[in-house]
């Protein structure tokens, strides 16, 4: 039996079809009753997705009561259908259901379908209400100053959060439904007239090309639509902060919202965007500039520090000041492992600790910190397994990697760190340099929806520099970034 | 067609010109007047640059291969282009070998040179596979770093107080002749005359009107950096030492010591030297494969691997660094390679352009 088949006129037949389509699942509630003139009717909904008080008060009760008072008005079924739809059901959003696939989808969205004997269609009334998280402070990107609300798992609420921030007719929304089984709602939002229309078309085309059964998180989409698969660097940013999404939309970027996840996607994006936190714009510009430089520095440290340490201690000892060198040599004396294995051991240990910290139940959190700090740090040094300097290097690297606001770039740095460590252990500074040049060529070749990744440094766009490494005061930010915004550059009048 | 922006062209000129030049002491035979050799060579080099720019301005849409085909006819043009391709490949090979030997001399004495050179060559080929635009973007990105590090280096020299101004005195002790002789014997051609390579790339510039301004400005910037490093080497090491040391910059930088903790800036120098030689070698390589692709009318990426293999095998001909330097001197001076490809052929080209002057308007529109 094909799902796209139309509903029949017989209520009994419809109910049987539904039962066979859904395998008689018990959470699909089929409540049969008698409507006007003793007409057999049914309301169908899914338990847990609907507000039963609403069904009682606004659907069942009016229909049953209308049946009692207007006993003689049950004429042709079409008339009856219209009466029920237009005069009886007191619910704001109601639509007609003609086909079975629409029927299945609408009850899964929490709507209630009203069927009557003799109708060849149903009425879908919006009664959705399920347990969900309310708008809370985002857990992954916290701020000291600035809006504290975060996206939820409900796309409707998320869109509303954005609408509340940008009250403009130019904020356009285009919907798609992706996933043959999950039927996930996806929408893109952008500022018409500011965003690059080519990017919008390209995004829609790429979304339409997706042929998959499920979208459970925005990461699925990210992997489907990104420009280049084989790179550790993300070319789409994700955030659960409505204010960052709004800011990006105002700069001419396109936001992509997915039902079921609080993480929205923003595209196109450049490398330096990953180092700007939304708080940069809520603080004084001088502090923000300092913090941005600090973050870029930390990114470099988290990628390079262990490999630099390895290269210098194994190949280029002459570069260390003599007093420090003596100290290092004394520490290394008792360590049985070569420096590279020592570093690898500590790095892997730290990665395990971090993963354990994320995955384990909250209640045993303190155990990890004791094991991590005391046993693997202090005791390992005392036992002569690793040198104290190495523990410092690894810890500092780890701390630095947490400074970066976007965790997916920090992950890239983690992977690259190991590659650079191997190069440093075999070829010293020369190896590190080669690794960096390889990365540079790679980064220069990446594009995010047509925009070179290292914009605005290369290609150099002078007017965009003011919001890249530095952030100038708002008074001076007169233009939008050149490459995102195709037209409508001017943000505010020059003073 | 691939396009490059004015910033990318400027960055590439700066990096290409700086290249490995500051590592060596230009004009060290002129003793304390070495820095004057730099100035004179730069002035003479700018005459050459004027000629190249003039040629490019007359035919803004053509690069060297197009010019040869158009003005010398298909056969002589092809022959000349092949000659230039070999020169470019040869220069790339020299830079690669320089790189290998300098790395072994400075930071990795026990690593086989073949390994070092194959790593650099793979990076070169990788960037050529990624395309010309990507390579120019790389240059645009690292030029900031290179200029910044040179600036830091200069500041460190000043702060550490090891600069002795007396080392460049007396000025012109033996008159101007030694300076001009030294300049003409080599330093006009390297690095200033090598600007001829940009005849292969200028036509890709997207903003044609800014061609002269961008080129001259970046030429001056790179000249200033070269001049300052040259003077610093002289003033730190004295007039005698730079002549006999293989990498004077590395030696002078090792003398920097600030507050007993800021010392050993070798890493900076090695970084700069890496960036410089890599960019230079890759640009020569790119010019060679571009020339080949225009000779055979195909994609330039196809030639990256074969040309790379040839270059790599050629780097092993000199058994050691001294022979390598000697071969370079012989080819440059005895066989006059530098004057031929930098001065004579472009001059002939320019004269032919004058003679056939009026016809070029229609042809440049049609091409």
């Amino acid at each position: 039996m094909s799902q796209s088949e139309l509903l029949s006129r017989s209520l009994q037949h419809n109910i049987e079809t539904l039962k066979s389509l859904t395998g008689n699942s018990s959470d699909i509630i089929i409540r049969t009753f008698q409507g006007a003139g003793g007409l057999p009717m049914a309301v169908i909904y899914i338990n847990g997705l609907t507000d039963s008080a609403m069904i009682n008060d606004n659907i069942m009760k009016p229909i049953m009561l209308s049946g009692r008072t207007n006993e003689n008005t049950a004429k042709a079924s079409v008339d009856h259908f219209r009466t029920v739809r237009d005069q009886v059901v007191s619910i704001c959003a109601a639509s007609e259901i003609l086909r079975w696939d629409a029927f299945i989808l609408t009850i899964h969205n929490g709507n209630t379908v009203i069927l009557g004997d003799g109708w060849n269609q149903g009425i879908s009334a919006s009664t959705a209400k399920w347990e969900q998280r309310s708008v809370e402070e985002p857990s992954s990107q916290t701020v000291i100053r600035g809006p504290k609300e975060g996206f939820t798992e409900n796309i409707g609420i998320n869109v509303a959060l954005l609408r509340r921030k940008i009250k403009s007719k130019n904020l356009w929304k285009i919907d798609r439904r992706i996933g043959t089984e999950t039927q996930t709602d996806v929408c893109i939002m952008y500022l018409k007239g500011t965003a690059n229309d080519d990017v919008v078309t390209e995004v829609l085309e790429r979304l339409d090309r997706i042929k998959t059964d499920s979208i459970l998180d925005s990461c699925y989409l990210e992997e489907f639509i990104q420009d280049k698969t084989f790179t550790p660097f993300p070319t789409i940013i994700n955030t659960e902060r409505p204010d960052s999404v709004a800011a990006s939309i105002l700069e001419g970027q396109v936001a992509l919202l997915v039902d079921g996840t609080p993480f929205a996607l923003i595209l196109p994006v450049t490398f330096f965007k990953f180092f700007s936190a939304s708080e940069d714009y809520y603080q004084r510009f001088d502090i923000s500039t300092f913090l941005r430089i600090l973050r870029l520095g930390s990114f470099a440290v988290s990628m390079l520090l262990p490999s630099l340490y390895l290269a210098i201690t194994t190949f280029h000892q002459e570069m260390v000041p003599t007093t420090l060198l003596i100290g290092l040599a004394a520490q290394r004396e008792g360590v049985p492992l070569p420096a590279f294995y020592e570093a690898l051991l500590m790095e892997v240990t730290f990665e395990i600790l971090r993963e354990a910290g994320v995955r384990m139940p909250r209640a045993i959190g303190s155990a990890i910190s004791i094991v991590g700090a005391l046993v693997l740090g202090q005791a390992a040094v005392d036992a002569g397994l690793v040198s104290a300097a190495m523990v410092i290097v690894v810890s500092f690297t780890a701390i630095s990697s947490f400074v970066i606001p976007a965790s997916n770039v920090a992950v890239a740095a983690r992977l690259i760190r190991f590659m650079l460590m191997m190069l440093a252990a075999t070829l010293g500074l020369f190896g590190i340099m080669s690794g960096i040049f390889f990365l540079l060529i790679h980064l220069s070749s990446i594009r995010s929806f047509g925009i070179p990744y290292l914009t605005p440094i290369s290609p150099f766009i002078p007017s965009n520099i003011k919001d890249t490494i530095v952030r100038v005061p708002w008074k001076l930010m007169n233009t939008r970034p050149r490459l995102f915004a195709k037209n409508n550059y001017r943000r505010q009048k020059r003073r | 067609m691939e396009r490059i922006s004015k910033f990318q062209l400027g960055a590439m000129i700066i990096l290409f010109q700086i290249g490995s030049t500051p590592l060596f002491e230009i004009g060290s035979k002129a003793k304390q007047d070495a820095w004057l050799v730099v100035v004179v060579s730069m002035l003479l080099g700018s005459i050459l640059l004027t000629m190249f720019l003039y040629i490019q301005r007359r035919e803004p849409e053509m690069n060297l291969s197009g010019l040869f085909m158009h003005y010398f006819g298909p056969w002589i043009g092809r022959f000349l282009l092949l000659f230039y391709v070999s020169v470019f490949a040869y220069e790339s090979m020299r830079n690669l070998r320089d790189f290998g030997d300098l790395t072994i001399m400075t930071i990795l004495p026990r690593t086989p040179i073949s390994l070092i050179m194959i790593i650099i060559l793979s990076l070169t080929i990788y960037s050529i596979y990624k395309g010309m635009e990507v390579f120019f973007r790389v240059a645009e990105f690292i030029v900031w770093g290179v200029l910044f590090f040179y600036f830091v280096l200069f500041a460190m020299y000043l702060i550490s107080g090891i600069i002795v101004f007396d080392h460049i005195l007396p000025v012109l002790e033996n008159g101007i002749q030694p300076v001009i002789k030294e300049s003409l014997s080599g330093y006009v051609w390297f690095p200033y005359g090598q600007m001829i390579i940009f005849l292969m790339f200028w036509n890709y510039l997207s903003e044609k009107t800014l061609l002269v301004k961008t080129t001259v400005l970046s030429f001056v910037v790179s000249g200033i950096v070269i001049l300052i490093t040259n003077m610093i080497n002289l003033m730190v090491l004295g007039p005698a030492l730079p002549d006999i040391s293989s990498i004077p910059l590395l030696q002078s930088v090792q003398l920097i010591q600030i507050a007993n903790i800021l010392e050993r800036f070798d890493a900076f120098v090695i970084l700069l030297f890496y960036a410089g030689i890599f960019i230079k070698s890759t640009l020569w390589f790119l010019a060679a494969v571009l020339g080949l692709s225009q000779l055979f009318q195909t994609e330039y990426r196809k030639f990256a691997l074969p040309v790379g293999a040839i270059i790599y095998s050629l780097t092993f001909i000199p058994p050691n660094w001294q022979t390598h330097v000697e071969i370079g001197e012989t080819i440059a001076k005895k066989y006059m390679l530098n004057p031929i490809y930098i001065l004579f052929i472009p001059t002939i080209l320019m004269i032919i352009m004058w003679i056939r002057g009026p016809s070029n308007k229609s042809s440049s529109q049609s091409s």
Side-chain angles (χ1 to χ4, degrees):
Chain A
M1 185 171 297
S2 156
Q3 290 209 354
S4 59
E5 210 173 277
L6 300 171
L7 270 71
S8 87
R9 279 186 183 275
S10 148
L11 179 65
Q12 198 55 41
H13 184 242
N14 279 339
I15 289 173
E16 275 163 18
T17 313
L18 177 68
K19 279 184 174 169
S20 73
L21 276 176
T22 58
N24 210 3
S25 300
S26 61
D27 60 334
I28 296 175
I29 310 290
I30 304 169
R31 161 81 161 93
T32 50
F33 61 100
Q34 291 200 336
L39 180 80
M41 292 184 74
V43 291
I44 294 143
Y45 59 92
I46 295 183
N47 197 14
L49 295 182
T50 45
D51 183 0
S52 45
M54 207 166 171
I55 298 174
N56 291 344
D57 292 347
N58 300 351
I59 297 175
M60 304 276 290
K61 206 179 196 176
I63 292 177
M64 285 173 153
L65 288 180
S66 74
R68 212 170 282 163
T69 49
N70 307 326
E71 213 151 326
N72 299 323
T73 54
K75 300 171 209 156
S77 63
V78 178
D79 283 352
H80 181 242
F81 173 78
R82 285 212 187 110
T83 315
V84 172
R85 189 189 65 189
D86 298 340
Q87 293 170 15
V88 180
V89 174
S90 55
I91 280 176
C92 61
S95 58
E96 294 156 21
I97 296 293
L98 290 163
R99 306 167 71 88
W100 277 112
D101 51 357
F103 187 104
I104 300 290
L105 191 65
T106 195
I107 57 171
H108 278 89
N109 283 336
N111 299 333
T112 299
V113 176
I114 307 159
L115 290 179
D117 199 21
W119 302 358
N120 61 346
Q121 51 196 341
I123 301 168
S124 160
S126 154
T127 54
K129 185 192 180 190
W130 56 81
E131 287 308 311
Q132 62 186 21
R133 225 158 47 93
S134 55
V135 175
E136 289 167 10
E137 192 178 347
S139 55
S140 65
Q141 294 154 306
T142 50
V143 292
I144 299 169
R145 181 177 170 184
K148 303 231 173 189
E149 60 189 8
F151 282 136
T152 68
E153 280 76 5
N154 185 327
I155 192 171
I157 293 176
N158 296 349
V159 171
L161 285 171
L162 285 176
R163 282 263 179 224
R164 256 180 46 209
K165 288 191 187 294
I166 309 174
K167 302 178 185 76
S168 160
K169 65 178 186 338
N170 292 332
L171 180 62
W172 285 19
K173 172 172 178 277
I174 301 176
D175 296 303
R176 285 288 184 275
R177 185 168 281 134
I178 302 174
T180 48
E181 300 295 329
T182 59
Q183 298 284 343
T184 312
D185 284 321
V186 171
C187 76
I188 66 167
M189 294 184 82
Y190 61 99
L191 209 56
K192 179 70 183 171
T194 301
N196 186 342
D197 286 329
D198 297 341
V199 172
V200 174
T201 334
E202 179 68 30
V203 174
L204 288 176
E205 255 170 39
R206 289 189 195 182
L207 284 179
D208 291 338
R209 274 207 299 270
I210 300 175
K211 298 269 180 289
T212 182
D213 62 338
S214 58
I215 299 288
L216 294 180
D217 183 79
S218 47
C219 184
Y220 288 46
L221 282 186
E222 187 180 335
E223 292 197 359
F224 274 119
I225 65 174
Q226 67 192 356
D227 291 58
K228 194 170 185 168
T229 310
F230 292 102
T231 171
F233 293 97
T235 48
I236 296 171
I237 214 165
N238 65 63
T239 178
E240 52 175 333
R241 298 189 56 87
D243 51 330
S244 348
V245 175
S248 308
I249 288 177
L250 288 169
E251 289 190 349
Q253 282 160 293
V254 177
L256 220 159
L257 276 67
V258 180
D259 193 31
T261 176
F263 288 94
L265 302 179
I266 301 168
L267 50 96
V269 76
T270 62
F271 182 65
F272 296 98
K273 276 272 158 195
F274 289 95
F275 296 92
S276 67
S278 56
E279 208 174 354
D280 288 354
Y281 302 97
Y282 310 141
Q283 279 174 335
R284 289 180 50 80
F285 72 96
D286 40 9
I287 297 171
S288 309
T289 303
F290 168 70
L291 288 178
R292 281 208 182 156
I293 294 169
L294 195 75
R295 286 187 208 123
L296 279 167
S298 306
F299 180 71
V301 164
S302 75
M303 252 188 350
L304 285 172
L305 188 67
S307 46
L308 277 180
Y309 177 80
L310 274 180
I312 287 176
T313 51
T314 48
F315 284 91
H316 319 287
Q317 291 94 346
E318 75 278 356
M319 286 182 192
V320 189
T322 319
T323 40
L324 184 60
L325 184 65
I326 293 169
L328 285 179
Q331 285 173 21
R332 290 265 319 135
E333 201 179 19
V335 178
L337 295 169
F340 173 63
Y341 293 104
E342 189 191 351
L344 203 61
L345 179 76
M346 285 310 289
E347 281 294 341
V348 172
T349 310
F350 171 71
E351 293 295 332
I352 293 171
L353 271 179
R354 186 208 311 247
E355 189 61 14
V358 177
R359 303 283 158 238
M360 75 190 171
R362 290 271 150 77
I364 49 172
S366 55
I368 287 286
S369 47
I370 292 169
V371 170
L374 294 178
V375 180
L376 291 173
Q378 188 64 43
V381 173
D382 287 346
L385 278 176
V386 290
S387 63
M390 186 62 86
V391 175
I392 295 171
V393 165
V394 171
S395 322
F396 187 54
T397 312
I399 294 288
S400 302
S401 72
F402 292 124
V403 173
I404 304 157
S407 59
N408 40 5
V409 171
V411 174
R414 266 156 82 184
L415 293 178
I416 291 160
R417 188 191 305 152
F418 285 103
M419 179 189 96
L420 288 177
M421 273 164 64
M422 270 180 253
L423 283 171
T426 45
L427 292 163
L429 274 184
F430 173 83
I432 298 180
M433 239 67 105
S434 306
I436 291 175
F437 265 87
F438 175 76
L439 280 180
L440 269 179
I441 300 169
H442 176 71
L443 281 171
S444 300
S445 71
I446 300 178
R447 280 168 181 270
S448 170
F449 290 83
I451 291 181
Y453 201 44
L454 291 177
T455 315
I457 304 289
S458 70
F460 187 61
I461 303 176
S463 65
N464 285 12
I465 293 289
K466 62 190 170 194
D467 190 15
T468 305
I469 295 167
V470 297
R471 178 176 88 71
V472 298
W474 273 113
K475 272 186 185 178
L476 298 177
M477 281 216 209
N478 295 319
T479 52
R480 298 190 160 90
R482 285 276 151 154
L483 275 177
F484 299 145
K486 197 67 179 170
N487 25 48
N488 194 11
Y489 290 134
R490 187 138 309 285
R491 205 197 265 271
Q492 61 201 8
K493 278 217 177 79
R494 190 168 279 138
R495 292 174 187 235
Chain B
M1 186 166 144
E2 290 175 290
R3 284 281 172 207
I4 52 179
S5 76
K6 56 176 177 177
F7 294 111
Q8 284 160 0
L9 178 70
M12 192 55 97
I13 291 175
I14 292 175
L15 288 174
F16 181 80
Q17 283 292 292
I18 293 179
S20 53
T21 322
L23 291 176
F24 312 107
E25 185 71 358
I26 285 185
S28 54
K29 297 227 162 46
K31 301 292 173 196
Q32 74 272 24
D33 290 334
W35 64 281
L36 279 172
V37 176
V38 176
V39 176
V40 170
S41 311
M42 199 175 147
L43 291 176
L44 293 175
S46 54
I47 296 174
L48 291 171
L49 181 64
T50 315
M51 178 170 77
F52 304 149
L53 281 171
Y54 176 81
I55 293 173
Q56 188 65 49
R57 282 292 292 268
R58 264 183 96 98
E59 290 286 1
E61 285 302 329
M62 276 194 193
N63 69 358
L64 209 50
S65 45
L67 289 169
F68 283 154
M69 299 292 185
H70 188 250
Y71 285 102
F72 287 95
W75 288 107
I76 305 175
R78 268 183 208 146
F79 172 75
L80 280 177
L81 184 55
L82 202 61
F83 169 69
Y84 268 77
V85 165
S86 347
V87 172
F88 293 153
Y90 165 75
E91 292 287 355
S92 175
M93 182 277 274
R94 286 205 66 79
N95 273 296
L96 189 62
R97 176 71 197 224
D98 278 352
F99 202 128
D101 271 314
L102 289 175
T103 309
I104 284 175
M105 267 191 269
T106 52
I107 50 174
L108 287 177
R110 277 174 299 178
T111 309
I113 189 170
S114 52
L115 180 66
I116 289 167
M117 289 193 305
I118 195 111
I119 288 173
I120 297 304
L121 197 62
S122 335
L123 277 178
T124 298
I125 291 174
Y126 177 64
S127 55
I128 281 169
Y129 270 116
K130 289 289 180 188
M132 190 172 84
E133 274 181 359
V134 168
F135 180 56
F136 272 78
R137 280 210 294 270
V138 172
E140 197 179 12
F141 191 84
I142 61 178
V143 74
W144 299 105
V146 168
L147 289 180
F148 175 73
F149 277 123
Y150 272 112
F151 179 76
V152 171
L153 215 54
F154 296 157
M156 291 298 169
Y157 275 112
L158 283 177
I159 295 169
S160 65
I162 50 172
I163 289 181
V164 184
F165 279 94
D166 292 351
H167 279 155
I168 58 169
L169 296 175
V171 177
L172 290 179
E173 192 184 13
N174 303 318
I176 192 88
Q177 271 106 325
V179 170
I180 291 180
K181 199 175 147 219
E182 181 72 344
S183 157
L184 280 179
S185 75
Y187 299 108
V188 178
W189 320 117
F190 167 85
Y192 302 104
Q194 292 181 337
M195 284 295 287
I196 193 170
I197 196 180
F198 286 97
L199 273 176
M200 292 297 288
F201 299 104
W202 271 325
N203 65 322
Y204 294 101
L205 182 67
S206 51
E207 303 116 317
K208 293 271 189 279
T209 47
L210 296 166
L211 172 74
V212 175
K213 197 181 153 196
T214 310
T215 308
V216 170
L217 201 66
S218 31
F219 186 76
V220 169
V221 169
S222 62
I224 290 172
V225 172
I226 295 172
L227 181 64
I228 295 179
T229 41
N230 189 287
M231 289 178 83
I232 282 179
N233 277 342
L234 262 183
M235 291 192 279
V236 171
L237 298 175
L241 205 51
D243 195 19
I244 50 171
S245 121
S246 53
I247 309 174
L249 187 63
L250 206 57
Q251 276 184 330
S252 66
V253 87
Q254 283 167 355
L255 296 175
I256 298 178
Q257 199 175 40
I258 300 166
N260 274 328
I261 185 78
L262 284 176
E263 51 180 18
R264 312 286 317 194
F265 285 97
D266 311 24
F268 272 15
V269 175
I270 291 158
L271 196 139
L272 292 172
F273 131 89
Y274 195 114
I277 306 194
F278 171 71
I279 292 283
K280 201 157 184 168
S281 167
T282 308
L283 198 68
W284 285 121
F285 196 116
L286 187 58
V289 290
L290 265 182
L292 276 179
S293 81
Q294 280 144 6
L295 193 64
F296 294 104
Q297 307 285 332
T298 47
E299 250 261 312
Y300 62 85
R301 289 179 178 84
K302 281 184 196 162
F303 295 101
L305 267 183
V307 173
I310 293 170
I311 287 179
Y312 186 61
S313 45
L314 286 180
T315 50
F316 292 105
I317 290 178
N320 52 40
W321 166 250
Q322 282 75 17
T323 329
H324 172 65
V325 173
E326 220 167 88
I327 292 176
E329 296 265 300
T330 318
I331 289 183
K333 290 196 178 140
K334 196 172 163 203
Y335 296 102
M336 301 235 296
L337 177 72
N338 281 338
I340 287 174
Y341 91 101
I342 292 172
L343 182 62
F344 299 156
I345 295 178
T347 312
I348 296 170
L349 176 66
M350 195 166 66
I351 292 169
I352 293 179
M353 283 173 92
W354 272 333
I355 295 169
R356 289 182 53 181
S359 68
N360 71 33
K361 279 278 171 262
S362 56
S363 64
S364 68
Q365 278 162 6
S366 65
S367 63

